[in-house]
Amino acid sequence: MQTTFGTGQPGRENSDLAFTDPLTGLGNHRRFFDKVDRLISDRADDPAPFTVGILDLDGFKPINDLFGHKAGDDILIQVAMRLRASMDGHSTVCRIGADEFAFLYPMVFSEEQAAEKSRMLIEILSAPYDVGERTARLSASVGCSLFYSGDETTEILINKAETALYHAKRSGRGRVVVYTREMEEAAKRVTRIEQALRRAVSAGEVEPHFQPIVDLNSRRTIGFETLARWTDRDLGMVPPSVFIPIAEERGIIGPLSQLVLRKATEAARSWPKDLFLSFNLSPSQLVDQNTGLHILAILERTGFDPHRLEIEITETGLMTDPASAEKIVEDLRRVGIRVSLDDFGTGQSSLGRLREFHFDKLKIDRAFVSSILDDRPSEHIIRAILAMCEGLGMDVVAEGIEEEAQADRLVQFGCAGGQGYLFGKPVDADATLGYLRDSYRGALYAKAI
Ligand code: C2E
Ligand code: MG
Ligand code: MG
């Protein structure tokens, strides 16, 4: 039976059900859209702005997994009760997704007020929740947008709040972001890059560049790190710090990575056999169990010896799903691929991780190396890392060495490996061959291959 308004009691009940979230008793997304539609038409001749917001619980999924679905439902009911209790007579809160709530503040007229109200909601939700005998804690992120003109539709307003929420989530937990026009510009830029990148990956236009890694004592090159490079005909050169995160977020990292690894191993086949090739894996690739299979298939196809390959992963990559990461790492190590911990010392480092996982190598982040000469704490940290690596039987590479004096100091501390502009910037496959020819001095190089 079709649901209609005002057609007697049974119809009314049905329509209420269609507009209600059965778990929490709050309105659902339809109710929310309907409320905003009505307010927009009420405000057609009235210049007063109003606020919509979307609130998303941070880390609800792990709580659900840890405490079970029944407990997850109980928490959602408690969240709904707290949110409802915090609304004044004009305002509305609805549940619009599994752990997403939307609110409408008709009397909130400014961005400052919107942010303040949102912070209050986060505060209210941060108090502990009873889950049987135990308690759980939650935080939440909020994105808001303000209605300013009659040109905006409910859909546009909610999309803007979603964009703001996305920015809030990206910047950490428990944040509030109010939508701005710059955000829209940034979102458009990301979409433009995403589209161009998809095209470039299918056309095979992302290239590996190679940066030498040296033995700090002898200055001999021992291997190269692969670094992806992309120049788009309209956007120009886009740095990896921009396109890699977009590739991760938009699900392009798998094909991009396979393309770069294939080209890199093809290039490295003609290098002297004692040189290793290292390759970065993104955090999202460590939650995808196909990653290992793809890498092995590429090595098989290009005939590159797995014992010459190293995979660089970061601590962030291990955090999302440690069990999955561990399985992928084990699969790779079984065929002789070595594993390095990249950018050590930044991000959310945990020494515990070094006990749980076995790494073959650790790369000390550039942040410590760049301040080694004039900052006592950096010096102590580097020495401590070196002592720890020795104890744990791990090789070490210091990243970002730009000056002789930094290299000298690192040698003095007993650091064996180094990488940085001092020894060579990342360059393409042809230039790398040229570099190898120079460093192996002609005849020796010819013999080596
Ligand atoms: P990373 O893996 O830590 O790579 C080292 C970065 O430091 C590279 O930046 C390199 O060009 C830069 N670098 C090396 N020596 C020096 C130095 O002496 N001084 C300074 N200032 N910088 C130095 P790049 O190429 O821009 O790459 C940035 C990050 O992007 C990489 O950090 C890596 O996390 C990521 N990345 C690059 N290529 C790939 C790829 O193929 N796959 C994945 N998943 N990530 C990649
Ligand atoms: Mg790296
Ligand atoms: Mg690094």
Side-chain angles (χ1 to χ4, degrees):
M1 194 185 102
Q2 194 160 6
T3 307
T4 45
F5 280 112
T7 53
Q9 203 53 33
R12 181 76 236 166
E13 259 173 33
N14 273 346
S15 74
D16 275 354
L17 280 181
F19 280 70
T20 305
D21 165 44
L23 178 68
T24 61
L26 294 181
N28 61 14
H29 68 285
R30 285 194 194 173
R31 164 98 65 211
F32 193 71
F33 270 70
D34 186 54
K35 285 262 180 192
V36 181
D37 279 347
R38 283 166 199 243
L39 191 58
I40 288 178
S41 51
D42 286 355
R43 293 277 166 104
D45 305 315
D46 174 354
F50 67 83
T51 298
V52 301
I54 300 178
L55 179 147
D56 187 283
L57 301 178
D58 298 322
F60 180 68
K61 193 179 169 297
I63 289 198
N64 225 356
D65 294 345
L66 194 67
F67 293 94
H69 281 272
K70 166 79 180 64
D73 284 354
D74 284 350
I75 290 179
L76 288 172
I77 293 168
Q78 293 179 50
V79 166
M81 274 163 44
R82 292 186 196 184
L83 290 175
R84 197 204 308 259
S86 73
M87 295 290 134
D88 58 29
H90 309 285
S91 313
T92 308
V93 60
C94 295
R95 179 175 177 229
I96 60 165
D99 60 351
E100 245 185 31
F101 296 83
F103 51 86
L104 173 62
Y105 284 132
M107 308 306 275
V108 170
F109 306 133
S110 73
E111 294 178 1
E112 294 72 35
Q113 252 185 309
E116 196 183 310
K117 284 271 190 188
S118 307
R119 275 194 286 274
M120 189 191 75
L121 295 181
I122 294 175
E123 182 74 36
I124 289 168
L125 296 185
S126 69
Y129 294 82
D130 291 329
V131 192
E133 309 278 272
R134 298 148 88 183
T135 57
R137 281 183 179 276
L138 274 181
S139 68
S141 305
V142 178
C144 294
S145 64
L146 274 87
F147 172 85
Y148 289 115
S149 81
D151 303 340
E152 275 164 322
T153 62
T154 301
E155 209 174 348
I156 293 175
L157 267 183
I158 291 177
N159 278 343
K160 287 180 173 176
E162 292 273 9
T163 303
L165 175 64
Y166 168 80
H167 281 264
K169 284 261 176 197
R170 252 184 127 182
S171 58
R173 289 165 161 251
R175 303 287 173 91
V176 176
V177 171
V178 182
Y179 180 85
T180 60
R181 199 161 289 280
E182 292 81 66
M183 238 170 247
E184 185 163 78
E185 289 306 312
K188 279 193 192 140
R189 214 165 36 243
V190 167
T191 304
R192 220 169 43 233
I193 294 175
E194 176 198 345
Q195 285 164 353
L197 186 59
R198 278 189 198 282
R199 195 200 54 77
V201 169
S202 34
E205 287 170 8
V206 183
E207 293 296 329
H209 277 210
F210 303 97
Q211 184 178 31
I213 297 174
V214 305
D215 173 303
L216 277 179
N217 275 301
S218 64
R219 296 292 171 95
R220 201 173 53 83
T221 299
I222 51 175
F224 287 89
E225 175 170 5
T226 312
L227 294 158
R229 292 291 179 265
W230 170 44
T231 304
D232 178 74
R233 48 178 180 240
D234 299 322
L235 301 167
M237 215 277 288
V238 185
S241 54
V242 171
F243 72 80
I244 295 285
I246 294 176
E248 284 187 36
E249 267 167 28
R250 307 288 165 108
I252 320 173
I253 192 70
L256 184 154
S257 194
Q258 288 158 38
L259 170 68
V260 177
L261 182 63
R262 180 175 58 72
K263 290 189 177 196
T265 47
E266 276 166 2
R269 267 187 323 206
S270 56
W271 300 347
K273 300 286 176 272
D274 58 340
L275 295 180
F276 68 81
L277 175 75
S278 99
F279 188 78
N280 294 284
L281 276 193
S282 286
S284 59
Q285 294 178 279
L286 291 170
V287 291
D288 177 0
Q289 287 300 320
N290 291 321
T291 298
L293 293 177
H294 285 308
I295 294 176
L296 298 184
I298 290 168
L299 295 185
E300 187 115 323
R301 225 171 100 194
T302 58
F304 190 78
D305 180 0
H307 293 91
R308 290 177 62 196
L309 186 67
E310 289 189 7
I311 293 295
E312 298 191 8
I313 59 183
T314 59
E315 286 160 300
T316 321
L318 299 173
M319 270 169 35
T320 328
D321 186 347
S324 160
E326 195 171 345
K327 185 161 180 320
I328 292 170
V329 165
E330 265 172 25
D331 288 349
L332 297 176
R333 296 189 79 210
R334 202 169 305 125
V335 297
I337 297 173
R338 289 157 52 89
V339 181
S340 315
L341 183 56
D342 201 2
D343 304 341
F344 185 74
T346 58
Q348 284 154 315
S349 305
S350 151
L351 293 178
R353 212 120 32 216
L354 292 172
R355 268 176 58 205
E356 294 152 17
F357 271 90
H358 184 85
F359 295 99
D360 300 287
K361 184 183 276 181
L362 181 149
K363 297 185 79 174
I364 303 177
D365 194 79
R366 179 159 65 88
F368 298 111
V369 175
S370 60
S371 52
I372 190 175
L373 297 176
D374 33 44
D375 177 38
R376 297 285 295 175
S378 291
E379 186 185 310
H380 285 299
I381 290 168
I382 289 183
R383 294 171 83 143
I385 294 174
L386 291 170
M388 180 184 75
C389 288
E390 190 175 356
L392 292 172
M394 281 189 280
D395 291 342
V396 191
V397 168
E399 299 189 275
I401 305 175
E402 296 183 351
E403 298 167 27
E404 281 293 347
Q406 293 168 339
D408 288 348
R409 188 66 63 87
L410 285 159
V411 169
Q412 192 192 327
F413 293 163
C415 180
Q419 178 180 0
Y421 294 167
L422 178 65
F423 314 110
K425 289 196 168 179
V427 289
D428 67 15
D430 285 345
T432 301
L433 272 184
Y435 171 92
L436 283 171
R437 262 184 213 115
D438 289 347
S439 46
Y440 276 71
R441 297 243 164 60
L444 187 59
Y445 172 73
K447 212 173 104 199
I449 55 175

